[in-house]
């Protein structure tokens, strides 16, 4: 029988800090655009699909950015 291969990350560990900064920055920009859209559009002109899409994109980027912050600081989740 062959020895099992160790489990490794698909992303090199050296990229964790860079990925965290990039993803958090994108997530914060999308979040800011969501708040600006909500503050400047009237109730009749708002689109539920645009709100859900923007919120989902921001959530994904902020979630993965937070994950890479934790991984780069040594908290393995």
């Amino acid at each position: 029988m062959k020895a099992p291969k160790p489990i490794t990350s698909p992303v090199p560990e050296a990229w964790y800090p860079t990925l965290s900064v990039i993803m958090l920055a994108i997530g914060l920009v999308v979040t800011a655009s969501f708040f600006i859209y909500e503050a400047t559009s009237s109730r009749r002109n708002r689109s539920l699909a645009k709100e859900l899409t923007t919120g989902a994109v921001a959530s994904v980027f902020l979630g993965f950015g937070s994950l890479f912050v934790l991984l780069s600081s040594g908290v393995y989740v």
Side-chain angles (χ1 to χ4, degrees):
M1 292 200 317
K2 293 183 180 180
K5 293 182 182 179
I7 297 173
T8 59
S9 172
V11 178
E13 288 185 26
W15 291 7
Y16 290 169
T18 306
L19 283 173
S20 67
V21 169
I22 291 171
M23 288 191 171
L24 285 175
I26 292 171
L28 290 174
V29 167
V30 175
T31 302
S33 71
F34 176 79
F35 283 125
I36 290 170
Y37 174 75
E38 289 294 320
T40 58
S41 64
S42 67
R43 288 186 181 249
R44 284 180 267 161
N45 293 336
R46 289 185 187 163
S47 168
L48 180 62
K50 183 173 182 177
E51 291 178 11
L52 290 175
T53 303
T54 307
V57 169
S59 176
V60 167
F61 276 106
L62 290 174
F64 278 109
S66 300
L67 173 70
F68 282 116
V69 164
L70 290 172
L71 290 175
S72 66
S73 64
V75 179
Y76 295 104
V77 289

